[in-house]
Amino acid sequence: MIVFIARYGLGIVLALAVLGKAGNFTAFRSSLATFGLRGRLAQMGAFTVVTVEALVALTVVAPVADVVVGVLGTCLGASFTVAQTYLLAVGEQAPCLCFGSKEQASIRTWARAALVLLMGLALWGAAA
């Protein structure tokens, strides 16, 4: 049951994130300036994030082993959690745009990133 919930929960969260970012791609790309990415680098970074999220979301419904999906989810979740932790630690009032809506980085945005990490870890651990 944990494997099912973690796998499909991860897929749903990532699919919503992809749809939100793709729907407001220009704003998402601009938000990467907070991390020092501007111009062409921001374009490539935004495209990479959305593409990787989409590919990991697709692995949920593909014939890919649970442990692989768990490792991928853990890597994404760790990256997002580190980014949110950075924003909170430096007191940055930057918009997250994690799901396409302009929301200031907060404990709430950090918790969503940590949720991706926890689902990945749960799936990885249960499947290993």
Side-chain angles (χ1 to χ4, degrees):
M1 184 65 153
I2 276 237
V3 169
F4 180 84
I5 292 169
R7 185 173 179 126
Y8 291 97
L10 183 64
I12 290 167
V13 169
L14 292 176
L16 291 172
V18 167
L19 292 173
K21 286 181 184 90
N24 201 355
F25 190 77
T26 302
F28 173 61
R29 182 186 65 221
S30 297
S31 75
L32 296 180
T34 304
F35 300 99
L37 300 176
R38 291 175 180 75
R40 184 96 172 120
L41 276 177
Q43 181 73 21
M44 290 176 9
F47 179 77
T48 300
V49 169
V50 172
T51 301
V52 169
E53 280 182 333
L55 290 173
V56 175
L58 288 173
T59 64
V60 168
V61 294
V64 176
D66 292 331
V67 70
V68 173
V69 178
V71 169
L72 294 172
T74 298
C75 291
L76 269 180
S79 300
F80 298 154
T81 304
V82 165
Q84 289 298 308
T85 301
Y86 166 77
L87 293 176
L88 293 174
V90 299
E92 185 66 48
Q93 295 299 308
C96 172
L97 286 135
C98 302
F99 290 89
S101 61
K102 219 173 204 179
E103 181 179 358
Q104 297 296 343
S106 66
I107 194 67
R108 178 185 154 120
T109 61
W110 183 90
R112 283 195 311 236
L115 177 63
V116 173
L117 174 60
L118 290 175
M119 284 190 289
L121 286 170
L123 185 54
W124 185 359

